Amino acid sequence: MLRYKYPIAYELNPTEIEKGTNWVTLKLKNTGSKTLKDLDVQLHSLDTYNLSVYGTWWFGAGQHITELGPDKEKELAFRVNAIGSANVYATIKARKEGKYFWWESGWAHILISEQKAAIGHLLVLSNPYTTIGKTISAEATIKGLQKSTGLKLEFWVETPSGKSEQQAAIDIKDLPVGEEARYSAEFTPKETGFYTIYAYLYDGWRRLGYETETIYARKQ
């Protein structure tokens, strides 16, 4: 799917791969009116446990484009190694009209084709700000991708003092292909500051993915 963030239109293919070493192609198009020069293009993984980016066999994770004029396109190949699904994003450092220019794409999801399920959105069912002593609920959406049993969803909360506490461990016995299920856990903030909520999805011992959310708790 072609996506836009001025002055670049970009597309990553494929977005579904098998486990192991694969090649993905990043297509870039300059939709602006100015020529970009000396482009350093990199692809980054947000989950290096599940997916690592190596660029090409002879380069690192970054690649160089000498010039990309208005309406010009360029395709770059990146070598990735994956054991699970992950989000990736691209960055470009270049020169535009003699000055440094920085560009960063949105996140794109690369899915492992044989993965049983995927964790979708994690929502905290409250305002971004809450009060100490008020119980709140976090809800995660899980989508079935293959016939699956033995999945487990864990909710953890990291407190402002740096302590991580498990709030729930939920066994997902059966999740039909193509269907979504929602699971939730509750916790009560006891100190002022930022809390990070984590939802981890496991197939046995292997982590399939995770999502995070942050809230701030204050005194009443």
Side-chain angles (χ1 to χ4, degrees):
M1 180 180 68
L2 191 64
R3 301 167 69 181
Y4 299 88
K5 183 179 179 182
Y6 186 82
I8 300 293
Y10 61 100
E11 185 175 18
L12 185 69
N13 283 302
T15 54
E16 184 172 330
I17 61 176
E18 297 180 353
K19 286 183 181 178
T21 300
N22 297 264
W23 289 90
V24 296
T25 299
L26 178 65
K27 179 191 292 186
L28 302 172
K29 181 178 180 179
N30 183 355
T31 61
S33 60
K34 305 298 182 182
T35 296
L36 303 177
K37 297 183 177 181
D38 296 325
L39 292 82
D40 176 21
V41 184
Q42 298 192 33
L43 188 67
H44 310 268
S45 172
L46 285 167
D47 186 351
T48 54
Y49 171 78
N50 271 348
L51 187 145
S52 298
V53 181
Y54 296 103
T56 67
W57 291 107
W58 51 91
F59 288 111
Q63 296 197 45
H64 183 262
I65 301 174
T66 303
E67 185 174 288
L68 191 65
D71 294 323
K72 298 297 183 180
E73 295 183 359
K74 185 71 175 180
E75 290 189 357
L76 301 173
F78 291 86
R79 183 168 59 94
V80 301
N81 187 68
I83 62 171
S85 302
N87 289 321
V88 299
Y89 67 100
T91 59
I92 299 174
K93 182 177 73 173
R95 285 185 175 273
K96 182 171 67 172
E97 298 184 298
K99 297 181 180 180
Y100 277 113
F101 166 80
W102 176 264
W103 179 90
E104 188 170 309
S105 76
W107 298 353
H109 191 67
I110 296 180
L111 176 69
I112 298 300
S113 57
E114 59 265 44
Q115 185 167 304
K116 292 181 179 179
I119 185 168
H121 299 294
L122 173 64
L123 300 175
V124 178
L125 306 181
S126 73
N127 295 322
Y129 299 95
T130 189
T131 55
I132 294 174
K134 180 180 179 181
T135 299
I136 63 175
S137 179
E139 181 183 271
T141 302
I142 309 299
K143 183 175 182 179
L145 303 175
Q146 306 284 343
K147 185 176 181 180
S148 59
T149 57
L151 301 178
K152 183 171 68 173
L153 178 65
E154 293 185 0
F155 288 92
W156 289 75
V157 172
E158 184 177 5
T159 67
S161 58
K163 182 179 180 180
S164 292
E165 302 172 337
Q166 187 181 70
Q167 305 301 314
I170 302 168
D171 292 324
I172 304 173
K173 299 184 182 302
D174 183 28
L175 185 61
V177 177
E179 292 193 11
E180 292 185 348
R182 291 178 171 82
Y183 302 89
S184 62
E186 293 183 340
F187 74 99
T188 305
K190 298 178 181 178
E191 55 185 298
T192 301
F194 287 99
Y195 289 76
T196 304
I197 300 96
Y198 298 84
Y200 297 96
L201 180 64
Y202 292 94
D203 178 12
W205 64 270
R206 188 181 300 279
R207 176 171 62 76
L208 299 182
Y210 73 97
E211 292 288 336
T212 67
E213 275 288 352
T214 302
I215 64 166
Y216 183 83
R218 57 193 174 189
K219 294 181 179 179
Q220 292 183 348

